[in-house]
Amino acid sequence: MQRAFALATSVLTTSPNPRVGCVIVRDGVIVGEGFHTRAGEPHAEANALRQAGEMARGATAYVTLEPCSHTGRTPPCCDALIRAGVAEVVFAGADPNPRVAGQGVQRMQAAGIRVQGPTQPELADAVNPGFIKRMKTGLPWVRCKLGMSLDGRTAMASGESKWITGAGARADVQRLRAISCAVLTGVNTVLADNPSLRVRPEQLAQTGLAVADVRQPLRVILDSELRTPVNAAVLGEPGQALLMTSAAAAEARAEAFAATQTQVEAVSSSAEGRLDLEAVLRSLVSNHECNEVLVEAGPILSGAMMQAGLIDELVVYMAPSLLGSDARPLMQLPGLTSISDKVMLEFTEISRIGSDCRLTARVQPKVPAQN
């Protein structure tokens, strides 16, 4: 199973599908292995069975996720395992997709295959946090990327921020973009920094990852009044850009972006004109099949998403520098007046990236106050 997990994580993204690896073993020897590369192409089990050929008969298949039982862009994997004559299937994690959810197990057992699983559910879920969360809640897994100085500042008071962190950290951000279905920012960041938000293969290569055929994530700009310039860099890059705005702005100004081939989508907003952030994320799931969303925004939007309980994970690049008390804070979280209001995090990784540190932390659920 360890080899199957290594295969599953060897690909950056398979969105909207989960990352899956499969290893087929007969008489203690690996006779076939495979992984899913992208939506619409053969699944991990099919690739492993093709490699194993007749040696799959009587073998054991180790799969990181429960074999699928429905016909989508490809045939059901459980049927392929049955036809190949495997004797046993061991799967690490259950598939929460209601079109699967145990049905494949039942079909394989009915065909006489011994089935074990889920054997490592936590590890299996960690490989596909976005797919699992999307299927269970209708929301994507949201990472928020931030770069800061040692004293927790992200830019000078003037807005100057290039470059707080070093080249190694900036290359590592390309990895975060490459594993994401969408990169989300706000119009204020577009106006201040004119970012591209694309994956740069030349920088991604510095992380040691393969760069062939990198898929560009959907670039999403939250802009309630459609103030984004039509010549903004984020609209002109390869791949698709999406402006999410209010209904009034979409009706009045959407036509201005037709020449840029940019999608304009209206989402619900408050009386004050603020976009409903949960509605934004639900649309990214229902209309764009996003599993994992990367937030690259300023302290206001990042803070608003944190206060709304919509961020699952923080990835903070901390530089060995001090910017001073007049510089801009990491995140704006107004209204926290007592220690019990604090947002709790759990560090899951602390790494050295070039001259900087990368801190990865999961946001912890709010614990109700005790009476």
Side-chain angles (χ1 to χ4, degrees):
M1 190 66 78
Q2 185 177 358
R3 174 58 182 165
F5 274 116
L7 291 167
T9 55
S10 67
V11 62
L12 292 170
T13 179
T14 55
S15 177
N17 293 347
R19 303 175 181 91
V20 182
C22 177
V23 173
I24 298 174
V25 177
R26 180 169 168 175
D27 299 326
V29 177
I30 293 177
V31 295
E33 59 181 32
F35 57 92
H36 184 43
T37 56
R38 66 173 57 215
E41 296 191 2
H43 288 188
E45 297 93 325
N47 286 327
L49 288 169
R50 183 181 299 110
Q51 189 178 100
E54 285 301 312
M55 294 297 289
R57 189 164 299 278
T60 297
Y62 294 88
V63 194
T64 57
L65 194 67
E66 177 186 347
C68 65
S69 56
H70 66 285
T71 300
R73 300 181 191 179
T74 58
C77 291
C78 65
D79 290 355
L81 291 163
I82 292 169
R83 286 195 304 273
V86 300
E88 184 175 16
V89 172
V90 181
F91 67 93
D95 189 335
N97 187 338
R99 301 174 70 186
V100 181
Q103 297 176 56
V105 172
Q106 295 173 10
R107 196 180 300 178
M108 289 185 292
Q109 288 175 330
I113 296 176
R114 298 188 303 275
V115 181
Q116 294 186 52
T119 60
Q120 296 170 275
E122 291 185 2
L123 185 55
D125 286 0
V127 172
N128 292 295
F131 177 79
I132 300 297
K133 188 182 177 188
R134 176 167 72 91
M135 287 296 163
K136 289 184 174 181
T137 70
L139 290 168
W141 184 265
V142 180
R143 291 186 185 90
C144 182
K145 185 277 294 183
L146 297 161
M148 71 173 191
S149 60
L150 190 60
D151 52 349
R153 304 293 168 163
T154 61
M156 304 306 293
S158 64
E160 180 187 359
S161 61
K162 294 184 178 180
W163 296 102
I164 293 175
T165 55
R170 296 197 295 276
D172 195 62
V173 170
Q174 305 304 309
R175 176 186 61 84
L176 293 181
R177 291 179 182 176
I179 66 174
S180 301
C181 310
V183 179
L184 183 149
T185 195
V187 64
N188 289 333
T189 297
V190 172
L191 295 174
D193 299 336
N194 196 27
S196 71
L197 302 184
R198 69 179 176 92
V199 179
R200 297 182 175 88
E202 67 279 6
Q203 285 186 302
L204 183 63
Q206 296 173 28
T207 68
L209 294 173
V211 298
D213 198 24
V214 172
R215 189 179 73 173
Q216 292 294 336
L218 176 69
R219 301 183 301 281
V220 183
I221 306 96
L222 304 191
D223 184 357
S224 61
E225 298 176 353
L226 284 185
R227 295 184 292 138
T228 300
V230 293
N231 62 348
V234 71
L235 305 184
E237 295 290 344
Q240 183 64 56
L242 170 64
L243 284 163
M244 303 190 86
T245 188
S246 65
E251 184 177 356
R253 294 209 59 216
E255 210 172 290
F257 297 92
T260 67
Q261 297 184 333
T262 299
Q263 290 181 259
V264 177
E265 182 178 324
V267 295
S268 57
S269 56
S270 67
E272 295 79 22
R274 296 187 182 91
L275 299 183
D276 183 328
L277 297 177
E278 182 172 332
V280 164
L281 294 180
R282 290 196 180 277
S283 175
L284 291 179
V285 164
S286 60
N287 295 328
H288 305 280
E289 295 186 304
C290 289
N291 287 337
E292 300 176 31
V293 173
L294 177 65
V295 176
E296 292 194 49
I300 296 175
L301 179 54
S302 299
M305 296 196 72
M306 179 65 76
Q307 287 193 306
L310 298 173
I311 292 177
D312 299 290
E313 186 175 59
L314 286 177
V315 182
V316 180
Y317 297 91
M318 185 172 66
S321 61
L322 302 171
L323 298 186
S325 58
D326 291 335
R328 296 182 180 182
L330 182 72
M331 189 177 285
Q332 289 193 12
L333 294 170
L336 305 186
T337 57
S338 69
I339 197 68
S340 62
D341 295 327
K342 66 182 180 293
V343 177
M344 290 300 299
L345 308 171
E346 178 190 0
F347 285 117
T348 57
E349 183 192 35
I350 300 176
S351 303
R352 180 81 177 264
I353 304 291
S355 60
D356 305 311
C357 283
R358 183 184 66 208
L359 312 175
T360 305
R362 297 280 179 91
V363 179
Q364 299 301 291
K366 185 80 171 175
V367 178
Q370 298 294 322
N371 294 328

